[in-house]
């Protein structure tokens, strides 16, 4: 049962990371078209996905800190990679939206 809980948590990280990156990319596309309201909405959506991922990640870290050690699998490493890339992409997307906004002014 613990393996099933861990698998669900890991898959949640992957899904939320992918969704966060997708929303951030949609923000860049919207800004490129000059739709800054949509761009901001997509950045906010990306932040919500990252918040969900962060909460799941924090739960896993808390369990580890309490001595409930989990087996590190390739899938878990992949999930962490998704989150790190999504965070980086979200930060870059915010900068790109700002740049497109300045160019439009």
């Amino acid at each position: 049962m613990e393996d099933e809980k861990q698998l669900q948590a890991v898959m949640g990280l992957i899904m939320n990371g992918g969704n966060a990156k997708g929303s951030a990319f949609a923000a860049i596309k919207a800004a490129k078209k000059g739709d800054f309201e949509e761009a901001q909405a997509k950045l906010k959506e990306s932040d919500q996905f990252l918040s969900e991922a962060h909460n799941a990640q924090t739960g896993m870290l808390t369990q580890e800190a309490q001595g409930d050690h989990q087996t590190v699998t390739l899938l878990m490493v992949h999930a962490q990679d998704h989150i790190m890339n999504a965070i980086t992409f979200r930060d870059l997307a915010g900068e790109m939206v700002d740049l497109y906004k300045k160019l439009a002014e």
Side-chain angles (χ1 to χ4, degrees), residues 38-102:
E38 176 70 7
Q40 288 302 321
K42 289 298 181 181
L43 289 175
K44 185 176 180 181
E45 185 178 87
S46 180
D47 290 341
Q48 290 169 341
F49 285 123
L50 286 174
S51 179
E52 287 293 318
H54 177 73
N55 290 340
Q57 190 179 45
T58 299
M60 293 171 75
L61 289 170
T62 299
Q63 285 180 318
E64 184 75 24
Q66 292 173 343
D68 184 9
H69 302 293
Q70 302 294 313
T71 303
V72 177
T73 65
L74 181 58
L75 197 57
M76 186 183 292
V77 172
H78 180 67
Q80 295 298 327
D81 189 45
H82 261 284
I83 297 305
M84 290 172 49
N85 283 321
I87 291 168
T88 301
F89 199 88
R90 165 49 183 99
D91 291 343
L92 181 59
E95 293 298 319
M96 294 289 295
V97 168
D98 288 346
L99 181 59
Y100 276 118
K101 192 181 262 187
K102 278 189 176 185

